[in-house]
Amino acid sequence: MRNRYVIANWKMNLPPEGIGAYLDELGSAPKRDARLIVAPPFVYIPEVVRKGRGIAVAAQNCGDQKSGAFTGEVSAAMLHDVGARFAIVGHSERRNVYKDTDEMIGRRMAMALENGLTPVLCIGEDLRVRDAGGVAEHLSSQIRAVSSDALGLSGEVVVAYEPIWAIGTGRNASGAMVAETVADIRSALQRHWPSSRWDAPILYGGSVTPDNVGDLVANGNIDGFLVGGASLDSRKFLAIYDGLVGRLARA
Ligand code: PEP
């Protein structure tokens, strides 16, 4: 069975209730069948590791080089050193605002794998691509472009399908739409990645809330969620987690 994850991407925010109270709330929830992960801004990683009562920690990015004159970057080895075990790579905000290219994202992914971090590779299309019927081809090219020898290393790789038009917009993809796209992603993994990666967990991200989680879990054929806005409130985030594990328990 594939691993299941529900990841809180705080982006450049902190939870209004405070880090300690947020983690206490998460820590008190029974953990079943899916792993909770928190991705705080870099500088708060040690605090989340310390107060997280076993909740796994992800970095929101990782350097694409080992070390050296790369002002503003943080290496995968450093992130591992302070307790991160996952690294989000290729988030659309990195691709669009900071101009991360597929080549850079491929190197970030390789650095993560080489340093004991599980990369969470974000892929997704904008509305123009979806309206033109080019989703499968677009995602396939994002998957092909980050393929490297590092995929032959041990350690897991997680894929997050995050349609750009759904991120932070309040407009989520329907479960049926996600299931169709997950099938496209699986076939792209089979075409472009080694067979050890074909069964990678696939998460969905894009305006997930406690209100729409039911349809996404029931019909989306996904292994979990990457949550932005709603993850800043521990109760909403846990309600999304419960939506996933509650359904798994009934299945
Ligand atoms: C994200 O940024 O990864 C994300 C999914 O954001 P939101 O849930 O706010 O759409």
Side-chain angles (χ1 to χ4, degrees), residues 176-216:
M177 195 187 275
V178 173
E180 199 182 311
T181 311
V182 165
D184 291 336
I185 294 170
R186 285 255 173 255
S187 87
L189 294 179
Q190 291 178 9
R191 281 196 304 281
H192 303 304
W193 284 11
S195 56
S196 58
R197 302 294 176 190
W198 293 355
D199 205 31
I202 300 178
L203 316 183
Y204 168 76
S207 295
V208 181
T209 67
D211 296 330
N212 58 34
V213 68
D215 168 49
L216 289 161

Side-chain angles (χ1 to χ4, degrees), residues 230-245:
S231 78
L232 287 169
D233 177 326
S234 61
R235 282 162 199 250
K236 283 191 190 162
F237 184 58
L238 279 179
I240 291 168
Y241 178 78
D242 285 343
L244 178 71
V245 295

Side-chain angles (χ1 to χ4, degrees), residues 3-251:
N3 288 329
R4 322 234 182 196
Y5 298 107
V6 184
I7 306 176
N9 177 13
W10 290 355
K11 311 192 186 195
M12 202 168 71
N13 300 298
L14 292 173
E17 65 206 91
I19 293 178
Y22 181 101
L23 293 171
D24 283 350
E25 186 74 22
L26 259 55
S28 64
K31 307 296 175 307
R32 303 163 284 155
D33 301 326
R35 194 139 182 224
L36 281 169
I37 301 175
V38 172
F42 286 141
V43 293
Y44 295 99
I45 288 175
E47 183 174 350
V48 175
V49 170
R50 208 171 53 247
K51 296 182 177 166
R53 297 207 243 156
I55 287 163
V57 180
Q60 296 177 15
N61 193 10
C62 76
D64 70 331
Q65 306 287 334
K66 273 201 178 84
S67 63
F70 301 104
T71 303
E73 291 288 282
V74 181
S75 76
M78 292 169 183
L79 293 165
H80 188 274
D81 196 35
V82 295
R85 291 295 176 263
F86 295 78
I88 298 170
V89 296
H91 191 281
S92 62
E93 287 151 18
R94 297 297 322 172
R95 292 177 190 263
N96 295 337
V97 183
Y98 296 100
K99 308 300 173 207
D100 273 20
T101 62
D102 279 324
E103 202 188 356
M104 287 158 75
I105 293 159
R107 285 199 304 268
R108 295 189 196 286
M109 205 164 99
M111 283 295 147
L113 279 165
E114 285 170 16
N115 289 281
L117 300 175
T118 297
V120 180
L121 170 70
C122 299
I123 55 174
E125 81 288 355
D126 62 20
L127 216 43
R128 192 182 44 83
V129 170
R130 179 156 285 273
D131 289 346
V135 176
E137 199 186 318
H138 180 78
L139 300 179
S140 176
S141 95
Q142 288 184 319
I143 286 167
R144 188 186 58 233
V146 298
S147 180
S148 76
D149 291 348
L151 286 173
L153 297 171
S154 60
E156 194 175 27
V157 175
V158 176
V159 176
Y161 168 53
E162 295 216 309
I164 295 167
W165 49 269
I167 295 180
T169 58
R171 182 181 165 194
N172 67 290
S174 69
M177 195 187 275
V178 173
E180 199 182 311
T181 311
V182 165
D184 291 336
I185 294 170
R186 285 255 173 255
S187 87
L189 294 179
Q190 291 178 9
R191 281 196 304 281
H192 303 304
W193 284 11
S195 56
S196 58
R197 302 294 176 190
W198 293 355
D199 205 31
I202 300 178
L203 316 183
Y204 168 76
S207 295
V208 181
T209 67
D211 296 330
N212 58 34
V213 68
D215 168 49
L216 289 161
V217 173
N219 304 310
N221 193 21
I222 43 168
D223 303 304
F225 295 106
L226 178 52
V227 188
S231 78
L232 287 169
D233 177 326
S234 61
R235 282 162 199 250
K236 283 191 190 162
F237 184 58
L238 279 179
I240 291 168
Y241 178 78
D242 285 343
L244 178 71
V245 295
R247 168 91 193 181
L248 293 178
R250 286 194 300 279

